[in-house]
């Protein structure tokens, strides 16, 4: 019988393209990966890969077996989910990866809900940006991740995953409550303002710069940081203006002036899990707890809308 772990490594070689990448993703040495795949090749008695220059490339037979391995891994997860349903309530360990703002605003409430409803379910949460979280999900280091899409950006959907919408989060402008930028009523008045924005290569940073340039403003980025709470601090102390998500507006934007942006842009938050595990009770319980936590967020009605 074929060894499932070796099949998984073959599947990972097809996904990641190099032995080094597979080794890095799974805390193995490249030689250990090579040994496992060579053993798989001996077991199958079929040439699965070959050396092309300095790279190892899957043969047609290797690609076909890697595809079957992906199907088998998905079926195994589906079987495990069905067994978990038969056993009853959600329990065991659920490994979660999330970027920062949901961990600030949603995770504490969701963890409290789960602790009350499913005391035998234990969460391990890691802060990861979306791309790294997806890689960890596909490498089976995480069971579920939280992600985000921005207006005009490419929607992130990975093959073999199950994606579920969580909430629409308004994107807001945060100004100091005193100083030269505090009384701005339109975007043109902020043409010379210093900004605290996410790095340009991030989803948030790309969106914010595009939004400002479409409004005729080339932002003067004084602070480039992915930390929204640091951005808020820089605004509160009068050193910058910033875009912040509504998710953290109710508890973390005190001492600032918060306004809605022209066009009411928003980001979309979602969860993603491997498709085979979509029916697992622990995943269903976690998603339900997140929705409950999102439903308890403070309403942002009544905010002033900035002029174009």
């Amino acid at each position: 019988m074929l060894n499932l772990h070796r099949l998984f490594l073959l599947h990972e070689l097809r996904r990641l393209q190099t032995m080094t990448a597979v080794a890095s993703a799974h805390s193995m040495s490249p030689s250990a990966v090579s040994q496992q795949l060579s053993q798989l090749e001996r077991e199958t008695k079929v040439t699965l890969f070959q050396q092309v220059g300095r790279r190892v490339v899957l043969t047609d037979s290797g690609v076909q077996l890697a595809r079957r391995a992906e199907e088998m891994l998905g079926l195994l997860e589906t079987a495990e989910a069905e067994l978990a349903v038969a056993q009853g309530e959600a329990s065991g360990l659920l490994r979660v990866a999330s970027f920062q703002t949901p961990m600030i605003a949603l995770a504490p409430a969701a963890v409290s809900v789960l602790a009350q409803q499913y005391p035998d379910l234990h969460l391990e949460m890691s802060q990861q940006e979306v791309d790294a979280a997806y890689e960890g999900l596909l490498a089976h280091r995480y069971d579920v991740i939280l992600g985000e899409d921005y207006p005009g950006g490419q929607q992130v959907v990975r093959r073999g995953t199950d994606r579920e919408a969580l909430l629409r989060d308004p994107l807001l402008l945060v100004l100091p409550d005193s100083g030269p930028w505090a009384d701005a009523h339109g975007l043109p008045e902020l043409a010379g303002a210093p900004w605290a924005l996410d790095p340009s290569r991030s989803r948030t940073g790309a969106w914010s710069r595009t939004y400002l340039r479409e409004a005729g403003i080339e932002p003067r980025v004084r602070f480039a940081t992915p930390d929204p709470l640091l951005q808020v601090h820089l605004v509160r102390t009068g050193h910058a203006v910033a875009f912040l998500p509504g998710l953290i507006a109710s508890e973390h934007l005190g001492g600032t002036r918060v306004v809605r942006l022209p066009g009411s842009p928003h980001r979309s938050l979602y969860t993603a899990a491997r498709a085979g595990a979509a029916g697992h009770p622990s995943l269903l319980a976690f998603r339900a707890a997140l929705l409950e936590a999102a439903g308890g967020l403070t309403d942002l009605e009544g905010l002033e809308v900035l002029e174009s």
Side-chain angles (χ1 to χ4, degrees):
M1 184 177 295
L2 295 175
N3 181 282
L4 190 62
H5 176 63
R6 294 181 189 124
L7 288 171
F8 173 63
L9 292 178
L10 184 71
H11 158 66
E12 287 291 86
L13 179 59
R14 177 174 175 249
R15 184 175 73 87
L16 298 173
Q17 301 296 309
T18 70
M19 296 272 193
T20 300
V22 175
S24 177
H26 298 283
S27 301
M28 301 173 66
S29 67
S31 62
V33 174
S34 178
Q35 289 169 10
Q36 289 294 307
L37 291 177
S38 295
Q39 180 61 31
L40 178 63
E41 192 172 55
R42 288 192 291 272
E43 291 170 350
T44 61
K45 298 181 175 61
V46 172
T47 301
L48 300 176
F49 48 86
Q50 57 190 9
Q51 196 79 28
V52 177
R54 300 180 64 181
R55 293 187 58 193
V56 170
V57 178
L58 292 177
T59 63
D60 290 345
S61 295
V63 169
Q64 181 63 21
L65 184 57
R67 288 174 177 161
R68 295 301 186 197
E70 183 177 20
E71 294 171 7
M72 283 184 271
L73 291 163
L75 286 171
L76 178 61
E77 285 206 295
T78 299
E80 290 174 341
E82 291 170 348
L83 289 172
V85 170
Q87 291 166 1
E89 292 186 343
S91 62
L93 176 65
L94 188 71
R95 301 163 300 170
V96 182
S98 171
F99 58 102
Q100 187 174 7
T101 49
M103 290 190 77
I104 293 171
L106 296 178
V111 169
S112 295
V113 168
L114 291 172
Q116 289 183 336
Q117 297 180 359
Y118 304 101
D120 293 328
L121 176 60
H122 306 286
L123 297 186
E124 285 184 358
M125 300 195 71
S126 300
Q127 183 179 329
Q128 295 284 351
E129 293 304 310
V130 178
D131 290 335
Y134 256 119
E135 285 303 307
L137 178 68
L138 296 174
H140 292 237
R141 291 195 301 274
Y142 306 119
D143 302 306
V144 59
I145 67 169
L146 282 85
E148 58 179 346
D149 289 326
Y150 275 81
Q154 183 177 4
Q155 189 179 73
V156 180
V157 180
R158 300 291 182 92
R159 190 187 69 192
T161 62
D162 176 79
R163 174 173 157 147
E164 184 174 286
L166 177 57
L167 60 83
R168 287 162 57 92
D169 190 26
L171 296 163
L172 307 172
L173 175 66
V174 186
L175 304 169
D177 63 3
S178 62
W181 318 112
D183 297 324
H185 293 285
L187 278 175
E189 297 174 53
L190 300 175
W195 287 85
L197 299 179
D198 281 52
S200 59
R201 293 188 178 183
S202 68
R203 286 179 175 80
T204 314
W207 169 80
S208 60
R209 288 162 175 78
T210 298
Y211 183 86
L212 288 168
R213 286 165 183 159
E214 288 177 347
I217 297 173
E218 182 59 39
R220 181 163 63 93
V221 182
R222 176 176 288 174
F223 305 99
T225 170
D227 185 342
L229 298 185
L230 176 55
Q231 292 178 11
V232 172
H233 176 69
L234 293 167
V235 173
R236 187 179 293 117
T237 54
H239 293 101
V241 298
F243 294 129
L244 273 300
L247 197 60
I248 62 171
S250 61
E251 294 187 14
H252 300 280
L253 300 188
T256 66
R257 177 183 167 218
V258 184
V259 296
R260 290 189 182 274
L261 289 163
S264 298
H266 69 274
R267 62 177 181 170
S268 298
L269 273 60
Y270 61 87
T271 58
R274 291 181 298 278
H280 198 288
S282 297
L283 174 61
L284 297 177
F286 178 69
R287 282 175 159 169
L290 281 178
L291 287 171
E292 185 172 336
L297 293 174
T298 302
D299 197 347
L300 296 176
E301 292 297 326
L303 288 181
E304 173 190 354
V305 179
L306 197 71
E307 297 174 7
S308 300

